[in-house]
Structures are given as structure tokens and as C-alpha cells.
Amino acid sequence: MFNFKQWVILVVCSLAILKAEGLFVNITFVRNAVARGAVCLDGSPPAYHLHRGSGTGINSWLIQLEGGGWCNNVTNCLSRMHTRLGSSKKMVENLAFSAILSNKKQYNPDFYNWNRVKVRYCDGSSFTGDVQAVNPATNLHFRGARVWLAVMQELLAKGMRNAENAVLSGCSAGGLASLMHCDSFRALLPMGTKVKCLSDAGFFLNTRDVSGAQYIKSYFKDVVALHGSAKNLPRTCTSRLTPAMCFFPQYVARQIRTPVFILNAAYDSWQIKNILAPRAADPYGKWQSCQLDIKNCQPNQLKVMQDFRLEFLSAVIGLGRSSSRGMFIDSCYTHCQTETQTSWFWQDSPILNRTTIAKAVGDWVYDRKLFQKIDCPYPCNPTCHHRVFTPQDAPPI
């Protein structure tokens, strides 16, 4: 139980975080996109939230692509189309902007006065799908790539075509999309625009699960096939490898010409739950307690996770040296760190080399300093905010 002092501290911190998340931004529907077939899974229009920049940031744009997993077969796409991840009809009208989207300098020192956009995710393919045919029995629309283009075209018309700076960012499936669309985003903007891409928790690893099966490879293969994504994946990869392999950043990122920043936890909680030890590989639930709280992990499970970290680092380092690629790989058990104020920029935010995530990303965007750091192994970093889940926190896949 909390004592009175701990309770007061908890209340004060909670109120401070609520204050940091005090900005709510209205939704905008791209209704004219429907005629072009650029629609969510259920056929509803794409959507985004835009908060205008000011002062020195008036011609700078930060585009944050929403995450939320994928759907790899008709059954789970049908389930998804009745949620905000498959229908703009289910999305909230006002969305809280905090962390990297905050409009307050004390919470978001480098991007607070930029034009900041949250692009809603409702296609289930990381904005890569494009199948013309629609089965009338399901009414499922696989049009993620069209959604991407329709939203970008609207933002260009709303002033992004005059951007001096533009950052394409995203978390999870959105972080994957920010890599997949990085060079095409650059191509949409004028030659003089300074463009960079930030992938937060989007570096999904091609590895075997604890049973030895290639679960995530098979899953991504199904996603790419169902959504017709192959033609919209980077050609620098599909010219060499199968489309399913080109859904993995480790085979794509090296060829990206636009500067990229990779922000990821080496023990990414989503990947531990869904790639390393998915339910299919853990039928008796031996990993469940460990997945809920890393402090519950048994020594043999921690050994498996340490091996996962080494494989993850090998994939990241395998991209090769780059004087433009930023990197912040911490040893926290978490997922998505740009969208939570306490992990992005707070009094006790995770740090590497005495640097917060917000400072590392800001320095990289503004060319003040190139940040390329990899954390020591768990449990060495006392600044980590390890996620603790409940059994009801069901994984997306």
C-alpha cells in the first residue's frame, strides 16, 4: 500500500502528465479520397489530426503515423473493420497530442511549434496495401497505399508543399510504415526541403520463435499477400528478395537514401510477446508471467531474451555504418517511446549517454549532433520505464 507521501507524489505526477496532455486536436476526414478508392478497411474515408505550427516552426512539419499491428486474413480483418483500426467511423473526434506531438516547449523542446500531424491507421497493412477488387460478401477494402497518398496530397495542399523541414515519424506498425515510405515521402516534397524519417519501435526482427518456427515471417507473408502490398514495398528490396522479406526493416533500411533515425527497445515488449514467444509457440503459457513483467522472467527466459537482443543488435549493426543514421537502442522492456511523455521528455525519462530520447532525436533532426548509441544489457539501465501488463492486455496478433 502507498503511504501518504507516496500518494501525494503519485497525484502530483499524474496531474503534471495530464497537463502535458492537455491539447486535444479535432479529426479531419479526407472525404474526397473515397472517390479514388482511398479508404479504410470498411470503406470509410481516411482521417488525420493537424495542429498548426507557429513562429519559427510555421514551415516545419512532423507527420506521425499511428500504429496498431496488422491483419493477415479475412477473419481478423473483419474483426478489425469494426474498430478504430479499420474504420474512421469508430475514431474519436478529439485526440490528445502529447510527447512528440505536444505544443508545449517544456514537454517537446524541438517540435512544439511545428505543424504536427497524427495520421490515423485504418488499413491493417502499414499503409502498403492496394487491391482493386472488393468482395461484396465481406466489403473489405485493402487500400492502405492509397490512403497514404490521399492524406499526403491533402497535407501538401494545406501547406506542406512549402515545408523547409519535414520529419516522417511513426510508432510500431507506423514506425515500420515510416521506413517503407521514407524515400517516397521525400519524393513528394520540394528539392530544397530537409527531410528525415524516424522509426519508433518499428524495427521488427526476422527471427524464429521459442518453438523454432518462423512465425512472424509467415505472418508478414500473409499480410503482404492479402493486401497486395508487394508493388508498394521499396523496389530496392523487392528486386533482390521476396515481398514478405521486404516487410522486415533489416532488409530495407540500408537502401533508404533519406536520413533515418532508429529508436527501439532491444527488449521490445511487443516483439517479445508476438515474435519471440507468440501464443502459437507457447501453448501452455509458460512465458505469460515473464511477458507481463520482465521482473518475473526466469533465468532461462532471460537468457533467451538476451540472445534475442544480440540478434536484434546484429540486424541493426548489419545495416552498415552511416554518417546520417541516428540510433537510440535502449535496454528497456517497452514499446513506442515517442508517444508517451514520460519516456519522450520528462524528469526521469530513459537516458543513454546522459541524453533523453527527445534530445537525441532533436539534435539529429537539427544536425546539432549525430546520436548513435546502444545500451548495455538488461538490467543495467536504472532509468528505464519497464512496461508492466495485465493478463487482459491481449497482443494484437
Side-chain angles (χ1 to χ4, degrees):
M1 293 292 289
F2 289 115
N3 62 35
F4 181 73
K5 184 179 179 182
Q6 289 172 318
W7 181 83
V8 170
I9 291 170
L10 183 64
V11 169
V12 169
C13 288
S14 299
L15 289 172
I17 292 169
L18 282 172
K19 184 181 177 184
E21 297 181 349
L23 175 66
F24 285 84
V25 180
N26 287 340
I27 196 167
T28 300
F29 299 101
V30 191
R31 299 195 187 279
N32 63 7
V34 177
R36 290 173 276 159
V39 293
C40 300
L41 284 172
D42 70 336
S44 58
Y48 64 90
H49 304 254
L50 163 64
H51 191 256
R52 290 284 186 179
S54 62
T56 56
I58 202 158
N59 288 318
S60 294
W61 290 72
L62 181 121
I63 312 299
Q64 180 83 348
L65 303 177
E66 184 178 26
W70 310 268
C71 59
N72 71 326
N73 58 48
V74 169
T75 301
N76 59 41
C77 287
L78 282 171
S79 297
R80 190 182 181 97
M81 75 185 286
H82 298 295
T83 73
R84 64 175 176 80
L85 292 171
S87 173
S88 60
K89 297 174 186 176
K90 304 290 185 181
M91 295 174 185
V92 294
E93 187 174 330
N94 296 295
L95 192 71
F97 269 30
S98 64
I100 198 171
L101 295 175
S102 175
N103 67 331
K104 300 223 170 57
K105 189 173 184 178
Q106 66 264 43
Y107 303 128
N108 188 23
D110 284 309
F111 309 111
Y112 71 98
N113 63 349
W114 285 33
N115 297 281
R116 299 165 331 282
V117 183
K118 181 68 170 277
V119 180
R120 302 307 298 270
Y121 180 39
C122 63
D123 64 90
S125 71
S126 284
F127 301 93
T128 64
D130 193 355
V131 177
Q132 177 63 29
V134 177
N135 185 339
T138 64
N139 196 41
L140 281 169
H141 298 70
F142 302 115
R143 304 283 178 77
R146 295 193 202 186
V147 167
W148 154 261
L149 191 57
V151 175
M152 291 304 112
Q153 287 173 338
E154 174 144 319
L155 294 175
L156 286 165
K158 286 194 171 184
M160 194 169 70
R161 63 161 63 101
N162 302 316
E164 295 169 2
N165 300 288
V167 172
L168 179 64
S169 179
C171 145
S172 194
L176 175 62
S178 71
L179 293 173
M180 297 300 175
H181 288 290
C182 185
D183 282 338
S184 61
F185 179 66
R186 174 71 191 87
L188 290 170
L189 292 156
M191 286 293 291
T193 308
K194 183 175 160 185
V195 181
K196 297 192 175 187
C197 302
L198 164 62
S199 174
D200 175 14
F203 204 96
F204 298 97
L205 184 66
N206 178 24
T207 187
R208 294 180 183 272
D209 63 33
V210 291
S211 75
Q214 294 180 302
Y215 177 79
I216 193 62
K217 182 180 177 181
S218 174
Y219 184 90
F220 278 173
K221 182 179 180 181
D222 291 343
V223 171
V224 169
L226 179 68
H227 291 265
S229 299
K231 58 185 172 289
N232 297 310
L233 298 176
R235 288 182 175 81
T236 52
C237 180
T238 55
S239 63
R240 300 177 293 112
L241 300 169
T242 64
M245 296 294 275
C246 296
F247 223 65
F248 290 102
Q250 66 204 83
Y251 308 119
V252 172
R254 188 169 191 164
Q255 281 73 41
I256 296 173
R257 297 184 299 277
T258 309
V260 166
F261 193 106
I262 297 170
L263 164 62
N264 229 101
Y267 309 91
D268 185 287
S269 56
W270 192 94
Q271 295 199 50
I272 299 299
K273 291 199 290 182
N274 295 282
I275 294 180
L276 182 63
R279 288 175 180 173
D282 183 34
Y284 301 109
K286 293 180 180 178
W287 276 82
Q288 186 179 24
S289 179
C290 172
Q291 290 170 341
L292 295 178
D293 186 342
I294 194 169
K295 292 176 183 174
N296 295 337
C297 296
Q298 299 298 312
N300 62 319
Q301 292 172 324
L302 282 174
K303 172 66 168 63
V304 172
M305 290 167 65
Q306 299 292 14
D307 290 344
F308 176 88
R309 170 185 176 270
L310 291 175
E311 194 174 352
F312 179 87
L313 295 182
S314 176
V316 172
I317 295 167
L319 298 178
R321 296 182 66 85
S322 169
S323 59
S324 66
R325 187 186 305 122
M327 189 188 306
F328 190 111
I329 310 294
D330 59 32
S331 289
C332 308
Y333 184 67
T334 189
H335 183 67
C336 288
Q337 298 179 90
T338 58
E339 297 187 344
T340 306
Q341 191 63 56
T342 51
S343 54
W344 172 246
F345 192 67
W346 203 246
Q347 295 94 324
D348 63 345
S349 291
I351 58 172
L352 276 184
N353 200 41
R354 301 187 300 280
T355 306
T356 63
I357 293 169
K359 180 75 164 62
V361 172
D363 283 349
W364 170 78
V365 168
Y366 281 100
D367 295 322
R368 293 187 297 245
K369 184 180 179 182
L370 178 62
F371 193 91
Q372 296 176 322
K373 298 295 178 185
I374 295 172
D375 207 354
C376 47
Y378 173 86
C380 74
N381 190 338
T383 69
C384 275
H385 293 184
H386 299 301
R387 288 283 301 274
V388 177
F389 299 89
T390 67
Q392 288 72 41
D393 292 324
I397 62 171

